[in-house]
C-alpha cells in the first residue's frame, strides 16, 4: 500500500514538473555531510511519518552541500519557487513536511507562497533552516508576525552558524505566539512538533450562542447567575475545559433573546467569532465546507402538523343528520308510499294524492315508530306493512347505535399525512424567513399554505407551547424534545409522517474561520463525544432544565374527562331539523286553512 501511494505521488509530481510548476529533487543517497540535519529529519519522521518533503528555497545561491541532507532523505521531494506555489491539498495528501531554506532574512513574498501552498492546511509541519542571520531577535519577531497572520502553528526554526545561542527554536502559539529554545542534546525528551492544542494555556476563544433549545439554552439560577446548557453549548464548554482554553462571549448574554443560527455563522465568516455555539449545514457544493468541523450530527428536517382531533358532539350530529340519512329516509318513504297507493288504486279503486306525498302510515313506519295499519283483507298490503316494520326497525336501530358509539368514542378528523393533504386543507405552515433560503424549492408544493415569520423567539415559543393553529418546520433533536414533552398526553398535539420529511439527511457541523487552528482539536473532541454517547446525555439534561424552568411541562393540556352534560350548541343540527319540521308543518297548516276556506267559498 505504501509503495502504491509512493508511485502515485511520484507520478503526479512528474506530471506537474513537465508542466513547469516545480522541480522534483532526485532521491540521492550520498555521503553524509550533515548528520545533524539528517538526524532531525529522521526524528521528525519517527515522531509522525510524512509522505512528501516540500522544499522552498529563498535564493538560488545556497550551496548544494548545505541542503544535501534533504536530498539524502528517502521520501519524495518537491522543490517550489515563489512564483510556482499552488494549493497542495487540492492535489495531494496533506501529510507533508515543508522545509524552507532562508538566507539573511525572511521575505514576505516567500511566506505568501508558503501560505498559498498550505491553503486549508496551515497547521502542517514547517521546518525553517536559516543561514547568516545577523539579528536573531528581529528575524524571529518578523517570523512570528507572519506566522500569526497566516495562522501557522507548527514551525521549527533552525539557525545555522549561530554560536552564541541555541540553534533550534520551537514556535509556541499559546497563550500567545513566542519562541521556545530547544536543547538539541536532549532531543529524545521532547517532540519537535507537539500538538500544541492539547494545552491552550487559557487562550481566549470568542463564541456566541443563539438560545434555541435543545441545542442551546440560557437561563438564570436562583442566585441570578447565567447558566448554559444544550448539546452544542456543552460541546464548546467541554472544548474549553478539555483543552485548557477560556471562552469569551461576542456580546453580553441576555436571556430569552433568540437569534437565527445563520446570523451567528455570519459573524464567524467575518472573523468576529472563533467557535460558535451553533451548528451549520455542511453543503458539499459550498466552498465553506472545508472550513467546517467534522460532522457533529446527522439529522432530518420535517414538517410537524396538528394531530387529528376527535369530532365534537355538534360535528357528530352533523354527520348523523347528514345527507345520507335523509336520502335513505326519503327513498324508503317514497318507495313504500308508491306501492301502498298502487295497491289501493288497483285493488280498491281508491287514490289519494296526499297519501303519496305524506302518508300517516308510511312516514311513522319508516322512522321506526308505531303506525295504524289499514283494515284490508289484501295480503299484499299486509306484506308491505311487515316490510315497512323491518325497514323502520333497521333505520332506527342503526341510527341509535351509531349515535351512542359516536358520542362515547367519537371519530377523528382526517389526519394530514402528505404535502398534498396540506395543500388541500386550510392548515397553514409557519416558516422562518431565514430558513426559506436554505430549503430551495422543497416548499413549492405547499407554497400557498406557508406563512412567514421573522421573529425567532415567538416562533420557538409557539412551537414549544404546542400552538396547534399552524404547523411548523423542525429538525430531529427538536422533534425528540417535543415527543418527550407529549409522551404522557392522552392525545398528542403534533404528529409527523414519512411523507412530511423534507430532508432525510442533513449533516450538521460547526463552522470555523478560514485556516482555523481549532479545527483539529474540535474534530478530535467531536469523535470522542460520539464514542462516549455524550450528546444524548446532554439532550436529556437540557430537557430536564426546561422542565425545572417550567418552559415546558408534562401536564396534559387536554386530559380525559368523564361523562359530559349536553349543551344547547351540541344539538345544533337537531334543532335545525326541529325548526325545519316546524316550518314545514306550519306551511302545511296554512295551506290546509287556505284550501278549506277556498273550498267552502267555491261550494257556496
Amino acid at each position: 500500500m505504501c509503495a502504491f501511494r509512493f508511485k502515485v505521488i511520484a507520478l503526479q509530481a512528474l506530471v506537474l514538473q513537465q508542466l513547469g510548476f516545480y522541480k522534483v529533487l532526485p532521491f540521492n543517497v550520498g555521503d553524509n555531510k550533515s548528520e545533524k540535519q539528517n538526524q532531525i529529519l529522521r526524528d521528525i519522521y519517527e515522531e509522525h511519518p510524512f509522505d512528501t518533503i516540500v522544499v522552498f528555497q529563498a535564493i538560488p545561491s545556497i550551496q548544494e552541500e548545505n541542503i544535501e541532507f534533504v536530498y539524502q532523505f528517502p521520501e519524495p521531494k518537491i522543490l517550489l519557487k515563489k512564483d510556482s506555489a499552488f494549493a497542495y491539498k487540492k492535489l495531494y495528501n496533506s501529510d507533508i513536511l515543508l522545509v524552507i531554506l532562508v538566507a539573511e532574512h525572511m521575505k514576505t513574498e516567500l511566506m505568501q507562497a508558503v501560505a498559498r501552498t498550505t491553503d486549508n492546511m496551515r497547521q502542517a509541519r514547517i521546518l525553517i533552516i536559516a543561514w547568516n542571520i545577523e539579528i536573531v531577535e528581529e528575524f524571529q519577531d518578523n517570523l512570528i508576525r507572519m506566522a500569526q497572520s497566516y495562522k501557522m502553528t507548527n514551525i521549527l526554526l533552525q539557525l545555522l552558524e549561530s554560536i552564541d545561542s541555541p540553534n533550534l527554536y520551537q514556535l509556541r502559539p499559546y497563550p500567545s505566539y513566542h519562541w521556545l529554545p530547544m536543547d538539541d542534546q536532549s532531543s529524545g525528551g521532547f517532540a519537535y512538533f507537539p500538538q500544541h492544542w492539547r494545552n491552550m494555556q487559557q487562550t481566549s476563544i470568542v463564541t456566541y450562542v443563539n438560545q434555541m433549545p435543545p441545542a442551546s439554552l440560557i437561563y438564570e439560577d436562583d442566585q441570578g447567575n447565567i447558566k448554559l446548557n444544550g448539546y452544542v453549548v456543552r460541546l464548546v464548554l467541554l472544548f474549553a475545559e478539555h483543552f485548557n482554553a477560556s471562552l469569551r462571549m461576542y456580546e453580553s448574554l441576555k436571556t430569552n433573546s433568540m437569534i437565527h443560527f445563520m446570523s451567528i455563522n455570519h459573524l464567524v465568516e467575518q472573523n468576529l467569532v472563533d467557535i460558535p455555539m451553533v451548528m451549520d449545514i455542511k453543503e458539499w457544493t459550498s466552498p465553506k465546507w472545508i472550513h467546517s468541523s467534522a460532522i457533529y450530527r446527522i439529522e432530518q428536517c420535517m414538517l410537524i402538523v396538528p394531530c387529528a382531533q376527535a369530532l365534537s358532539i355538534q360535528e357528530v350530529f352533523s354527520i348523523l343528520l347528514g345527507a345520507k340519512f335523509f336520502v335513505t329516509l326519503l327513498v324508503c318513504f317514497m318507495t313504500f308510499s308508491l306501492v301502498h297507493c298502487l295497491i289501493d288504486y288497483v285493488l280498491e279503486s281508491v287514490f289519494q294524492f296526499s297519501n303519496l306525498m305524506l302518508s300517516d302510515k308510511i312516514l311513522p313506519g319508516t322512522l321506526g315508530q308505531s303506525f295504524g295499519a289499514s283494515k284490508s283483507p289484501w295480503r299484499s298490503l299486509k306484506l308491505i306493512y311487515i316490510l315497512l316494520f323491518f325497514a323502520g326497525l333497521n333505520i332506527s336501530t342503526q341510527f341509535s347505535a351509531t349515535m351512542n358509539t359516536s358520542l362515547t368514542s367519537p371519530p377523528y378528523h382526517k389526519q394530514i399525512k402528505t404535502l398534498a393533504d396540506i395543500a388541500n386543507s386550510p392548515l397553514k405552515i409557519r416558516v422562518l424567513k431565514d430558513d426559506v433560503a436554505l430549503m430551495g424549492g422543497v416548499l413549492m408544493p405547499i407554497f400557498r399554505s406557508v406563512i412567514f415569520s421573522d421573529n425567532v423567539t415567538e416562533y420557538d415559543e409557539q412551537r414549544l407551547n404546542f400552538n396547534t393553529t399552524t404547523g411548523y418546520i423542525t429538525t430531529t433533536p427538536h422533534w425528540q424534545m417535543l415527543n418527550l414533552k407529549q409522551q404522557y398526553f392522552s392525545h398528542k398535539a403534533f404528529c409527523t409522517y414519512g411523507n412530511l420529511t423534507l430532508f432525510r439527511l442533513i449533516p450538521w457541523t460547526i463552522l470555523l474561520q478560514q485556516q482555523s487552528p481549532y479545527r483539529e482539536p474540535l474534530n478530535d473532541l467531536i469523535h470522542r463525544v460520539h464514542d462516549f454517547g455524550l450528546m444524548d446525555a446532554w439532550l436529556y439534561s437540557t430537557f430536564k432544565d426546561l422542565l425545572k424552568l417550567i418552559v415546558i411541562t408534562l401536564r396534559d393540556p387536554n386530559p380525559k374527562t368523564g361523562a359530559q352534560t349536553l349543551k344547547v350548541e351540541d344539538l345544533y343540527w337537531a334543532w335545525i331539523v326541529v325548526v325545519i319540521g316546524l316550518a314545514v308543518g306550519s306551511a302545511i297548516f296554512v295551506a290546509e286553512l287556505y284550501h278549506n276556506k277556498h273550498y267552502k267559498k267555491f261550494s257556496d
Side-chain angles (χ1 to χ4, degrees):
M1 185 66 184
C2 293
F4 175 75
R5 185 172 58 179
F6 175 84
K7 291 179 181 179
V8 171
I9 295 174
L11 180 60
Q12 292 174 330
L14 181 60
V15 172
L16 289 183
Q17 179 190 10
Q18 294 298 324
L19 295 176
F21 283 100
Y22 53 74
K23 175 183 178 183
V24 180
L25 298 181
F27 307 151
N28 295 337
V29 181
D31 296 334
N32 186 7
K33 297 182 179 180
S34 185
E35 179 63 27
K36 182 177 181 179
Q37 285 82 359
N38 208 338
Q39 182 61 41
I40 291 177
L41 285 183
R42 286 197 297 268
D43 292 341
I44 294 174
Y45 186 85
E46 291 177 0
E47 184 176 286
H48 185 76
F50 48 82
D51 298 321
T52 308
I53 299 178
V54 179
V55 182
F56 275 91
Q57 185 170 324
I59 56 177
S61 61
I62 298 178
Q63 297 179 356
E64 192 78 9
E65 58 270 15
N66 289 332
I67 59 171
E68 186 178 355
F69 69 98
V70 176
Y71 287 82
Q72 296 175 359
F73 201 81
E75 287 292 332
K77 308 165 190 70
I78 300 176
L79 177 61
L80 292 178
K81 300 177 182 179
K82 291 184 294 184
D83 55 351
S84 63
F86 64 97
Y88 187 90
K89 193 172 184 179
K90 291 184 178 180
L91 300 176
Y92 303 129
N93 191 300
S94 60
D95 213 353
I96 64 174
L97 173 67
L98 279 84
V99 178
I100 304 175
L101 307 176
V102 182
E104 296 180 357
H105 62 277
M106 174 67 78
K107 293 184 178 181
T108 304
E109 296 81 2
L110 177 62
M111 205 61 176
Q112 290 175 349
V114 174
R116 288 196 302 272
T117 302
T118 59
D119 188 32
N120 297 317
M121 48 181 292
R122 294 285 171 80
Q123 286 71 53
R125 291 169 290 178
I126 300 176
L127 172 61
I128 300 178
I129 303 175
W131 285 268
N132 303 326
I133 304 301
E134 295 181 358
I135 306 177
V136 175
E137 292 79 6
E138 182 180 342
F139 177 82
Q140 290 178 332
D141 292 342
N142 184 41
L143 194 57
I144 279 181
R145 286 193 295 270
M146 293 181 181
Q148 193 167 8
S149 174
Y150 294 115
K151 300 181 181 179
M152 298 175 180
T153 57
N154 285 326
I155 297 180
L156 184 66
L157 174 61
Q158 183 180 23
L159 298 177
L160 301 182
E161 302 177 6
S162 178
I163 301 176
D164 299 332
S165 60
N167 63 352
L168 276 179
Y169 293 87
Q170 187 182 86
L171 180 65
R172 291 297 180 95
Y174 305 115
S176 61
Y177 277 69
H178 64 280
W179 293 105
L180 178 67
M182 301 175 64
D183 185 3
D184 59 342
Q185 299 299 325
S186 59
S187 59
F190 59 84
Y192 286 102
F193 292 100
Q195 293 177 321
H196 302 290
W197 46 265
R198 298 248 175 225
N199 183 5
M200 296 185 182
Q201 302 181 34
Q202 291 298 303
T203 298
S204 180
I205 297 176
V206 181
T207 185
Y208 204 49
V209 62
N210 67 338
Q211 304 188 43
M212 290 281 288
S216 57
L217 173 66
I218 297 179
Y219 62 95
E220 294 184 359
D221 60 10
D222 297 336
Q223 289 74 34
N225 300 319
I226 296 291
K227 298 293 184 181
L228 294 90
N229 207 344
Y231 63 86
V232 178
V233 171
R234 294 284 289 273
L235 174 69
V236 180
L237 293 177
L238 181 61
F239 179 91
E241 179 183 358
H242 185 65
F243 298 119
N244 191 24
S246 62
L247 295 177
R248 177 171 59 87
M249 289 293 169
Y250 173 72
E251 291 180 352
S252 300
L253 293 179
K254 298 178 181 179
T255 57
N256 300 322
S257 178
M258 296 183 179
I259 307 173
H260 196 272
F261 73 93
M262 290 297 296
S263 300
I264 297 182
N265 285 330
H266 287 326
L267 297 177
V268 177
E269 294 173 352
Q270 298 169 9
N271 294 331
L272 298 176
V273 171
D274 296 319
I275 304 179
M277 291 182 175
V278 297
M279 297 187 297
D280 186 50
I281 299 176
K282 194 177 186 72
E283 300 180 74
W284 304 105
T285 57
S286 174
K288 67 179 182 179
W289 74 267
I290 199 169
H291 310 305
S292 302
S293 69
I295 295 176
Y296 185 43
R297 279 191 67 96
I298 295 180
E299 301 176 357
Q300 292 184 342
C301 178
M302 71 282 289
L303 294 174
I304 57 173
V305 295
C307 295
Q309 301 295 319
L311 297 178
S312 63
I313 296 179
Q314 180 177 336
E315 291 172 325
V316 169
F317 274 103
S318 69
I319 295 176
L320 292 175
L321 302 176
K324 181 179 178 180
F325 172 72
F326 286 106
V327 168
T328 302
L329 284 180
L330 181 61
V331 170
C332 289
F333 172 74
M334 294 302 298
T335 301
F336 283 107
S337 296
L338 181 61
V339 174
H340 192 282
C341 291
L342 184 61
I343 292 175
D344 287 344
Y345 179 75
V346 173
L347 299 179
E348 297 184 0
S349 300
V350 176
F351 178 78
Q352 291 183 350
F353 183 76
S354 59
N355 288 337
L356 179 63
M357 300 302 298
L358 193 64
S359 174
D360 59 347
K361 298 178 179 59
I362 303 301
L363 183 58
T366 305
L367 295 175
Q369 306 295 322
S370 60
F371 60 91
S374 300
K375 295 180 178 180
S376 173
W378 308 111
R379 295 183 178 179
S380 57
L381 192 59
K382 294 179 180 180
L383 180 61
I384 291 298
Y385 289 149
I386 294 174
L387 294 176
L388 178 63
F389 165 74
F390 283 112
L393 179 64
N394 178 63
I395 292 175
S396 61
T397 302
Q398 285 196 19
F399 181 86
S400 178
T402 304
M403 182 182 67
N404 293 335
T405 303
S406 299
L407 292 179
T408 55
S409 300
Y412 287 83
H413 291 279
K414 181 182 178 182
Q415 177 63 55
I416 295 176
K417 296 183 178 181
T418 65
L419 295 180
D421 293 340
I422 295 177
N424 297 327
S425 72
L427 179 69
K428 299 296 182 181
I429 303 297
R430 190 178 298 274
V431 181
L432 286 173
K433 289 183 178 179
D434 292 334
D435 288 341
V436 176
L438 301 173
M439 295 188 178
V442 71
L443 294 177
M444 288 303 298
I446 58 169
F447 185 77
R448 297 183 181 276
S449 301
V450 174
I451 54 177
F452 301 101
S453 176
D454 53 3
N455 191 323
V456 181
T457 303
E458 179 185 2
Y459 179 87
D460 192 69
E461 287 180 353
Q462 290 181 349
R463 183 173 57 179
L464 196 61
N465 294 327
F466 291 153
N467 185 343
T468 56
T469 57
T470 61
Y472 303 90
I473 291 179
T474 189
T475 54
T476 305
H478 200 101
W479 175 239
Q480 290 176 342
M481 186 178 66
L482 293 179
N483 258 341
L484 286 174
K485 178 180 178 180
Q486 64 179 359
Q487 64 179 336
Y488 299 113
F489 288 6
S490 58
H491 184 73
K492 290 187 176 182
F494 280 110
C495 297
T496 187
Y497 299 89
N499 291 329
L500 295 180
T501 301
L502 302 179
F503 300 97
R504 298 189 180 278
L505 184 64
I506 303 179
W508 288 92
T509 63
I510 307 296
L511 182 63
L512 302 173
Q513 298 178 9
Q514 294 187 22
Q515 321 294 345
S516 175
Y518 305 120
R519 188 169 185 264
E520 184 179 359
L522 184 57
N523 289 347
D524 180 81
L525 183 63
I526 287 175
H527 296 321
R528 292 179 181 272
V529 167
H530 290 163
D531 292 341
F532 288 98
L534 294 179
M535 193 183 305
D536 291 335
W538 292 339
L539 181 64
Y540 286 107
S541 174
T542 306
F543 183 76
K544 182 179 179 180
D545 284 345
L546 290 172
L547 288 176
K548 289 181 179 179
L549 297 170
I550 320 180
V551 174
I552 61 176
T553 175
L554 298 179
R555 182 180 58 85
D556 191 349
N558 300 303
K560 289 184 178 180
T561 56
Q564 297 181 1
T565 304
L566 291 177
K567 301 178 182 179
V568 174
E569 57 268 20
D570 294 335
L571 301 176
Y572 173 80
W573 290 103
W575 300 128
I576 292 295
V577 173
V578 171
V579 171
I580 293 175
L582 291 175
V584 172
S586 300
I588 293 175
F589 177 68
V590 172
E592 287 179 340
L593 290 178
Y594 175 78
H595 176 75
N596 184 48
K597 182 178 179 181
H598 181 74
Y599 180 76
K600 286 184 177 180
K601 183 178 179 180
F602 181 78
S603 298
D604 294 340

